[in-house]
Amino acid sequence: MARENARMRAVRKELLEEADITNVRNRDLIQAKRQQICEGALELFIDKGFAATTIRDICARSGVNQASIYDYIADKNDILRRLLNQLWFRTDVPTLPDILTDHSVPLEEAIERYLIVSWKRKRQATLLAYRTIPHLRQEDRRAMRLREIAVMKDLADQLADRLGVGPGDQRLEIIANLMVFLSAFGPMRDWLNRDQPDELIARTIAKGAAAMIRASIGED
């Protein structure tokens, strides 16, 4: 059995820092209102853009009164952090390194599974992350970058095990970066791929990616 990577276990515990607001004592009410606010904001951030969305817009979409919204969130960036923690950093969606730990799963099948689950369960998260990164505060971009680097390093380690390559091979890091990028292909290209089933797209990309990996590393 492939080793379980401690790096990924550790980094998954690191979330973007959310504001600690204690104006309202009813914790259930706070959670319900925050969820209401986040759901309204998510639609706006994706459709209208983070920069163009105002707190007034979020109040109108979510139904939360503008006079009380700051009892639940600190500002627009706080809403974005909460959304990314919920959607982009969710732990119930396996990463490609997770799937590759099972060596009985062929490389093509592992990549296909990864793409399908990412596209089905993290579609909104992908759109949100890629469209709002430029608007994140410096400390949040740093945290996002560290998590992405951890995923890519874990993937490089798993590929090294699969392909019999020594650790630290820079080609694997480049490939790992590309694999993570491909997970955004489905959501980001929705406007062109709506008539094609995700399964067909994922299978086609997976076969091409696996062939590219083997050719790049020189596996027989």
Side-chain angles (χ1 to χ4, degrees), residues 44 48-54 57 76 135:
L44 289 165
K48 188 174 180 178
F50 180 82
T53 297
T54 66
D57 294 331
K76 197 168 65 167
H135 306 289

Side-chain angles (χ1 to χ4, degrees), residues 107 171 174-176 178-179 182 205-218:
L107 182 59
R171 294 174 299 173
I174 294 169
I175 289 169
L178 177 59
M179 291 299 101
L182 284 176
I205 292 175
K207 288 183 180 297
M212 179 271 296
I213 292 170
R214 293 187 177 105
S216 298
I217 301 304

